[in-house]
């Protein structure tokens, strides 16, 4: 059985020429049959790609050949099917959108805490633990005792901090996210706002699930990932959630029993609100995916 390597990566680095870097990077990915999404901006690179062992190694080596990215770190998991349909390398204003000008994790960032030391930190009763991800991600799994900011996008995080946190009262703040990138920006922002002790999980949830024994884990549930696997468990095994292709929300096993769940089309979250045009498009897309499977072909999308 073919096994695909899934590499989540990011690096904050000054890339004023990022637009010129996009075409050759896309060409390298295509040459090695690597698929996924990479975002590039003046502040760096962020994304997830998947392919063969050789393909992923080739793309990572190409990126690290740039002196500004030579210490680029990545996290690996595996999939039994290619979790992406195509390769996209896109220019962006920010590689993770906080929407606050001047926040620069390459200059100011919180204290990194390794997965092996994370349990001790978040077990401290003086520590405020915050999940910086969005509400639907929190809903399928999080650390015990973590606060949910109830955000729909990362842009809403600064407003949450302004309304709910006070540097005079909350002396120790610990944060986490999927791979670490949101916490880099969030911790940089909070330090600028006067919070003195700001910690974040190095490598994010993915590295914790990879490194920490399930018997010692303080993580409950699964971790949402931004590809067709939908979620992963401890050991980074593929999870039990499906991904609704109508609204891109994770669908639980219980949701999959609902009459409002139509594989590849709708789920209980979007069934009553999805426009007819969206439903028809999703249904046609799912039909083409199934036809491709029957013919033992890969559906490459639009």
């Amino acid at each position: 059985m073919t096994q695909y390597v899934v590499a989540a990566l990011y690096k904050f680095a000054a890339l004023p020429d990022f637009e010129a870097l996009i075409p050759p990077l896309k060409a390298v990915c295509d040459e090695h049959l690597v698929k996924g999404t990479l975002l590039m901006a003046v502040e760096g690179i962020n994304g997830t790609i998947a392919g063969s062992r050789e393909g992923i190694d080739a793309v990572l080596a190409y990126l690290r050949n740039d002196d500004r990215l030579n210490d680029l770190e990545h996290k690996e998991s595996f999939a039994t099917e290619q979790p992406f349909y195509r390769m996209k390398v896109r220019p962006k204003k920010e590689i993770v959108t906080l929407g606050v000008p001047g926040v620069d994790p390459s200059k100011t960032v919180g204290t990194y805490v390794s997965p092996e030391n994370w349990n001790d930190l978040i077990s401290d009763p003086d520590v405020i633990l915050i999940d910086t991800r969005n509400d639907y991600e929190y809903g399928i799994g999080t650390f015990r005792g973590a606060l949910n900011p109830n955000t729909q996008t990362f842009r809403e995080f600064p407003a949450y901090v302004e309304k709910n946190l006070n540097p005079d009262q909350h002396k120790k703040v610990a944060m986490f996210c999927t791979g670490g990138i949101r916490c880099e920006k969030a911790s940089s922002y909070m330090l600028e706002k006067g919070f003195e002790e700001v910690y974040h999980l190095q490598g994010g949830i993915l590295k914790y699930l990879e490194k920490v024994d399930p018997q010692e884990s303080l993580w409950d549930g699964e971790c949402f990932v931004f590809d067709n696997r939908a979620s992963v468990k401890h050991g980074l095994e593929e999870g039990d959630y499906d991904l609704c292709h109508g609204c891109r929300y994770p669908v639980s096993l219980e949701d999959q029993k609902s009459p409002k769940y139509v594989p590849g089309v709708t789920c209980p979250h979007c069934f009553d609100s999805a426009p007819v045009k969206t439903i028809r498009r999703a249904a046609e897309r799912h039909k083409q995916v199934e036809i491709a499977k029957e013919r033992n072909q890969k559906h490459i999308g639009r």
Side-chain angles (χ1 to χ4, degrees):
M1 179 181 293
T2 302
Q3 188 174 54
Y4 293 88
V5 181
V6 184
L9 60 96
Y10 75 89
K11 172 69 179 177
F12 284 101
L15 301 177
D17 58 339
F18 75 95
E19 291 191 41
L21 303 177
I22 291 176
L25 174 56
K26 174 68 161 55
V28 170
C29 293
D30 289 343
E31 177 187 351
H32 294 281
L33 304 179
V34 168
K35 299 180 181 181
T37 299
L38 292 173
L39 307 177
M40 299 195 75
V42 170
E43 65 180 6
I45 185 170
N46 173 36
T48 304
I49 53 177
S52 67
R53 173 81 274 164
E54 294 77 14
I56 293 298
D57 287 347
V59 174
L60 292 174
Y62 175 81
L63 288 169
R64 289 171 178 144
N65 192 49
D66 187 320
D67 289 341
R68 299 166 296 183
L69 302 174
N70 60 9
D71 59 348
L72 173 77
E73 294 186 5
H74 75 286
K75 290 163 287 294
E76 290 187 359
S77 54
F78 301 91
T80 54
E81 295 183 3
Q82 170 59 267
F84 298 104
Y85 293 121
R86 62 189 71 83
M87 185 67 223
K88 295 176 285 188
V89 186
R90 292 179 170 175
K92 301 284 284 188
K93 289 184 178 180
E94 298 179 70
I95 56 174
V96 59
T97 305
L98 184 66
V100 179
V103 176
D104 188 354
S106 64
K107 295 180 180 178
T108 305
V109 74
T111 302
Y112 296 97
V113 180
S114 69
E116 293 82 359
N117 294 325
W118 184 248
N119 286 358
D120 289 339
L121 173 68
I122 66 175
S123 296
D124 182 342
D126 294 328
V127 169
I128 300 295
L129 180 61
I130 303 172
D131 190 332
T132 65
R133 301 172 305 153
N134 298 330
D135 189 59
Y136 67 92
E137 297 172 81
Y138 178 97
I140 74 170
T142 192
F143 283 105
R144 295 169 202 167
L147 298 178
N148 179 9
N150 294 298
T151 55
Q152 300 304 308
T153 71
F154 190 46
R155 278 183 174 273
E156 298 173 15
F157 186 75
Y160 168 80
V161 173
E162 294 288 339
K163 184 177 180 180
N164 297 279
L165 302 176
N166 187 324
D168 295 327
Q169 298 175 10
H170 305 108
K171 299 295 185 180
K172 295 182 180 181
V173 179
M175 298 181 296
F176 62 92
C177 57
T178 307
I181 186 170
R182 275 179 275 194
C183 291
E184 297 243 10
K185 268 209 170 175
S187 68
S188 181
Y189 169 78
M190 293 185 71
L191 288 169
E192 290 188 3
K193 287 295 181 180
F195 291 87
E196 295 180 5
E197 291 187 54
V198 183
Y199 304 90
H200 50 118
L201 177 58
Q202 190 168 21
I205 301 162
L206 294 179
K207 187 59 68 173
Y208 182 92
L209 295 179
E210 175 189 346
K211 293 288 187 180
V212 176
D213 189 313
Q215 301 301 318
E216 300 175 359
S217 176
L218 297 181
W219 175 266
D220 291 327
E222 298 182 12
C223 177
F224 179 82
V225 290
F226 297 89
D227 59 61
N228 289 337
R229 295 173 298 168
S231 67
V232 294
K233 307 176 184 180
H234 275 91
L236 300 182
E237 296 179 3
E238 292 186 44
D240 294 325
Y241 282 77
D242 193 7
L243 191 66
C244 175
H245 293 285
C247 65
R248 308 300 294 176
Y249 265 60
V251 184
S252 68
L253 291 174
E254 188 64 29
D255 287 338
Q256 292 172 39
K257 298 176 184 177
S258 168
K260 295 184 177 182
Y261 174 65
V262 181
V265 183
T266 60
C267 70
H269 178 81
C270 66
F271 183 86
D272 295 321
S273 60
V276 173
K277 185 188 300 184
T278 299
I279 293 176
R280 288 176 177 170
R281 186 168 59 244
E284 179 59 29
R285 178 186 171 282
H286 183 66
K287 176 183 175 181
Q288 295 303 319
V289 169
E290 293 303 308
I291 290 174
K293 284 183 179 180
E294 289 178 5
R295 295 174 177 173
N296 199 26
Q297 298 173 339
K298 291 184 178 180
H299 175 67
I300 60 173
R302 290 176 295 171

